[in-house]
Amino acid sequence: MAAIWTMVIVHLLLLLPLLRSSIVFELHGDVYPTGLFYVTMNIGEPAKPYNLDVDTGSPLTWLECNAPLKSTHKGPHEPYRPTRTNLVPCEDERCVAVHRDLGLAHDCTQNPHQCDYVLRYKDGESSLGVLLIDQFSLTTNNENRPYLAFGCGYDQEGGQEARAGPVEVDGVLGIGRGTGDLVSQLRQQGIITQHIFGHCLGVRGGGFLFFGGDRVPSAGVTWVPMAQNVRSHYSPGAATLNLNVQLEYPVSVEPMPTIFDSGSTYTYVHMDTYARLISAVAVTLESSSLTKAHDDALPECWEENELIQSVDNVKNKFKPLEFTFGHGVNQATMEIPPENYIVVTQNGKVCLGILNGSQIGLDRLNLIGGNIMQNHIMIYDNERARIGWVRTSCDEMPGPEPLIGSRL
Ligand SMILES: *[C@@H]1O[C@H](CO)[C@@H](O)[C@H](O)[C@H]1NC(C)=O
């Protein structure tokens, strides 16, 4: 009897480091000029690398597939080659989850042997595909090679504006709120013990992404409850936007539903908020050396006599912004330094990285894109239904929290 217990305990101790460890990935890319942050994932057997756009605004991970009929391939790597044996059947639980997450009817009468889907992005881009299963190499030592379901996109139609900047990717790491997304699958398989993940997008590019709870900082995190009413999205509920001029210039007329979407380079607000933001920024720049200018990169730009070399040269002329979420005891504020919402273009002008959401049909929905979230560890905690952030430089990946003292 004792021998059996010893074996059980030895087994548990062996499992402990595996279960506890979060999985951390290095990120590449930047807000400008790349226009996106991406992770290189090794998928398949033998594993091959794919660059995936990190997108908390959609719940399905997919790769451009090598399809016999249509070749729309633009990514830097060879497209993924599907085989019949890794198709997920329509009645499979994972197909049910993906259809639910995407708001699609789960109808298996046409094609029972495969799981067809269509993904539509906010900018009008769409992707047609089928669900596959293959091995993901999640750690460099090949300890974690789970089979995960993902989309094989064989027909992509462009949106109003290109989703990606000049750097093309091989697909999208869709980690939006869902039940069939990659993080949910890792949690269901017990590869991470908590349904928590986070990212840190560096203001000078790069950064990191983590799956699992033990990289969550133990102190200094501002938390807001996660609203459950926006499908596929992580939402802190309604938010107001303020520009921090001396007397606090209120930019928003009223609170509006808001989502965090790392897959969007820039941030979108309702047209009324947008119009007021532009006037408020104009007021703060009145006595500065900046004057209105045109730049093809973005709609609202300014210039100086000399070409602007870097954000550091002009950021002091702008004021911090703040988003305020919730109310009462749940009220929380996210302060946005100028370097997060301005961009210095390759033409030496400085532009506003906050755009008119009504122009892309968002209406009464604020979309907080990757630029605003730069130099913050953003934490999506599905265990406690909350979203948190802490300001930091994203240059260094966090080590695991000590075993004692970790409260999550
Ligand atoms: C924002 O977009 C809407 C819809 O296209 C437009 O009517 C409005 O004038 C725009 N606002 C500004 C300030 O550009």
Side-chain angles (χ1 to χ4, degrees), residues 240-245 247-256 269-284 300 302 321 352 354-356:
T240 51
L241 180 64
N242 291 290
L243 185 72
N244 220 341
V245 198
L247 289 166
E248 295 239 332
Y249 198 111
V251 172
S252 297
V253 186
E254 55 182 315
M256 286 188 202
V269 292
H270 182 262
M271 60 181 193
D272 294 342
T273 312
Y274 180 69
R276 291 166 65 108
L277 175 66
I278 290 175
S279 333
V281 172
V283 170
T284 65
E300 286 291 318
W302 299 267
L321 280 171
L352 192 63
I354 299 179
L355 305 172
N356 183 352

Side-chain angles (χ1 to χ4, degrees), residues 67-280:
L69 292 177
K70 205 154 174 170
S71 182
T72 50
H73 182 64
K74 288 179 294 205
H77 297 105
E78 281 276 294
Y80 180 86
R81 283 178 191 279
T83 65
R84 289 223 161 268
T85 53
N86 55 1
L87 279 176
V88 173
C90 189
E91 290 301 352
D92 192 287
E93 193 46 49
R94 287 165 294 203
C95 183
V96 177
V98 164
H99 283 164
R100 187 195 305 131
D101 290 350
L102 298 180
L104 301 171
H106 181 64
D107 179 1
C108 297
T109 47
Q110 294 280 329
N111 264 332
H113 305 300
Q114 65 188 58
C115 179
D116 296 301
Y117 68 84
V118 55
L119 249 170
R120 290 182 214 286
Y121 290 97
K122 283 170 230 61
D123 64 0
E125 185 184 325
S126 67
S127 171
L128 276 181
V130 290
L131 205 63
L132 299 181
I133 179 169
D134 208 340
Q135 274 186 294
F136 279 59
S137 306
L138 296 177
T139 47
T140 43
N141 58 9
N142 280 341
E143 219 167 53
N144 272 330
R145 303 203 59 206
Y147 281 92
L148 299 174
F150 63 99
C152 153
Y154 56 80
D155 189 4
Q156 278 67 246
E157 305 278 332
Q160 298 162 7
E161 43 187 295
R163 272 174 56 72
V167 171
E168 296 288 353
V169 285
D170 303 295
V172 175
L173 185 80
I175 44 176
R177 198 166 64 87
T179 52
D181 64 283
L182 228 55
V183 189
S184 296
Q185 291 185 56
L186 292 172
R187 175 71 188 85
Q188 282 149 16
Q189 295 189 26
I191 291 164
I192 53 173
T193 52
Q194 292 172 302
H195 192 179
I196 298 172
F197 71 97
H199 57 67
C200 200
L201 312 176
V203 82
R204 293 180 208 286
F208 58 87
L209 168 76
F210 61 90
F211 296 156
D214 65 336
R215 299 295 170 119
V216 175
S218 49
V221 180
T222 304
W223 294 104
V224 285
M226 187 187 284
Q228 305 291 330
N229 56 351
V230 197
R231 192 190 24 220
S232 303
H233 288 106
Y234 285 105
S235 167
T240 51
L241 180 64
N242 291 290
L243 185 72
N244 220 341
V245 198
Q246 251 150 12
L247 289 166
E248 295 239 332
Y249 198 111
V251 172
S252 297
V253 186
E254 55 182 315
M256 286 188 202
T258 299
I259 57 171
F260 289 112
D261 184 351
S262 69
S264 173
T265 313
Y266 299 111
T267 293
Y268 295 84
V269 292
H270 182 262
M271 60 181 193
D272 294 342
T273 312
Y274 180 69
R276 291 166 65 108
L277 175 66
I278 290 175
S279 333

